[in-house]
Amino acid sequence: MRVVLVGYGPVGARFVEEVLPAVETGRIDLTVVGAEPEQAYNRVLVSEFAANKVDRRALDIIDAEAVAAAGVRVLTGTAVTAIDRTARRLTLGDGQSLGYDRLVLATGARAHVPALAGLSQVEASTDPAVPADDRQVRGLPAGIVGLRDLADAEVVARAVSDRRRILVLGGGVLGTEAALAMADQGAEVVLIHSGPVPMARNLDHGGGQALARAARRAGVIMLGDFRATGVICEPVPGEGARFGALLGEDGERIPGDLLVLSAGVRARVGLAAAAGLPTAAGILVDPSLRSWADRSIFAIGDCAHVATGRVGAGAESVPGGPSGLIGPGWRQAEFVAAQLVAEAGRAGGPVLPETEERPPVVMLKADGVDVLAAGRVMADPWDSGSHALGCSGGVEVFQWVDPARGAYVKLVTVDDVLEGFVCVGMPRVGAELTVLYNGQAELPTDRSVLLRLDAPDLTTGGAVDRFAPEAVVCWCNGVVVKSIMDGVAAGDDSVECVGRRTRAGTGCGGCRGRIAELIGRQATVG
């Protein structure tokens, strides 16, 4: 069976790993087409690479030699320009064509370019080697980047090394992480967002205020309630136009050497839409991840919009969208790989993946700034009736603030089960709440006992045992304590060694501190 994968990011790489045994036995003939010139790498760590906090090797996630030895054909630096669904053939940017029996689209997402004066008239790139979805980003003036790939990261890394003034437009998770990482390395960073607090989609107002204070203490200049309207680009001899300042609606001018766009992302759907596949927030697929319109085409990761439906069912109003997180993308890759391996072997297919019942935990990865949040966090502590969350159970809100320490905790429960939480500046409490939230476990009657977990004289305890063998450490890959401790007992003495054996810590990286804690715990016990 001829399988073609379009897109070679971390989700595409996981798909390749999962089908490799079938490729080695000749059941699947796999070709991978990636627009970037590099082999697959971990995009989640791009901002850390841009801030010179990790080296290039830390981003590697696949053994390119093993993939080639297995017989996979990998075409990097190659764009797919068209899909002929009738003939089941792809047209590549260099004019070649490629046939397929099954097509897997893992085209991911691109940085959103906001409608700013000075950008809306930018002429998009016409290079056929650049996917259509990316041509506007590639046509941006010098000094303006969307931090999504290595090319962008290298531009930012030079600015960080030269201690330039960097403006980050967008106060979401990615923008905040990037700003903190760059400031930590000595750059002058201004984080600009349109709302009153950063991460407003994930945090309530109190949590956002606590984060803003922590960011200012970390050296980031915070500029909220700023409505950007345009950019000023100045001519530079031999270079053309270069970014000079960001403009606000009140005429304010914010000068800078580099503008990093972190105003959200958009699924790369141009290729699919041009082929007549239904799209909304992403490529519309059913729960088996097959296109609504073509059973031979799948979509996974940031480009996949999972929904039940049919062609002509009003795709523009389909609820939901891509999760935007690495863990769900990896699970989709594994599921589609299992389907195709079963199909190639004429065996029964895998069971449909369980629907994500709860919004995932969002973790801010930044040294010295601990932020976790999940679920429904906007309930008012003084309005805790059942109507507050639109449910029939008893809703309670617990809120605790310590401005002097920069600590903030908010819990929202329904019948004593945690339905949402925000935790800033309390790492052990945050870890405990993550376990309680994902396990849908009941909280202690006295919520305040959880606060003791971050007391300097207390290192253990809690409502659940975080060191129990089956306690999940890495939610991206579903790795439990026992798997990590087995590796440590076998000689894994670093986070990197554990990652190579178990995949723990190789996704968003938010569990790396917990893995280090387990390694240290084993050393102490030993």
Side-chain angles (χ1 to χ4, degrees), residues 312-384:
E316 69 283 349
S317 61
V318 176
S323 73
L325 298 173
I326 190 69
W330 275 344
R331 288 189 284 275
Q332 290 177 350
E334 292 164 358
F335 177 65
V336 170
Q339 288 186 78
L340 296 183
V341 169
E343 186 178 352
R346 304 194 177 193
V351 177
L352 288 175
E354 293 183 5
T355 303
E356 295 284 345
E357 295 184 358
R358 335 194 82 197
V361 176
V362 173
M363 177 182 298
L364 185 74
K365 300 180 295 299
D367 292 342
V369 181
D370 298 289
V371 179
L372 293 102
R376 298 181 285 185
V377 301
M378 301 303 176
D380 189 313
W382 303 108
D383 183 20
S384 301

Side-chain angles (χ1 to χ4, degrees), residues 105 108 267 269 281-285 289 299-306 321-323 332:
L105 299 175
V269 299
I283 302 166
L284 285 166
V285 293
L289 302 174
I300 55 178
D302 284 350
C303 70
H305 183 164
V306 182
S323 73
Q332 290 177 350

Side-chain angles (χ1 to χ4, degrees), residues 134-150:
D134 293 335
R135 290 178 185 169
Q136 185 183 16
V137 178
R138 286 288 163 255
L140 291 173
I144 302 178
V145 298
L147 190 51
R148 290 293 294 175
D149 57 30
L150 289 179

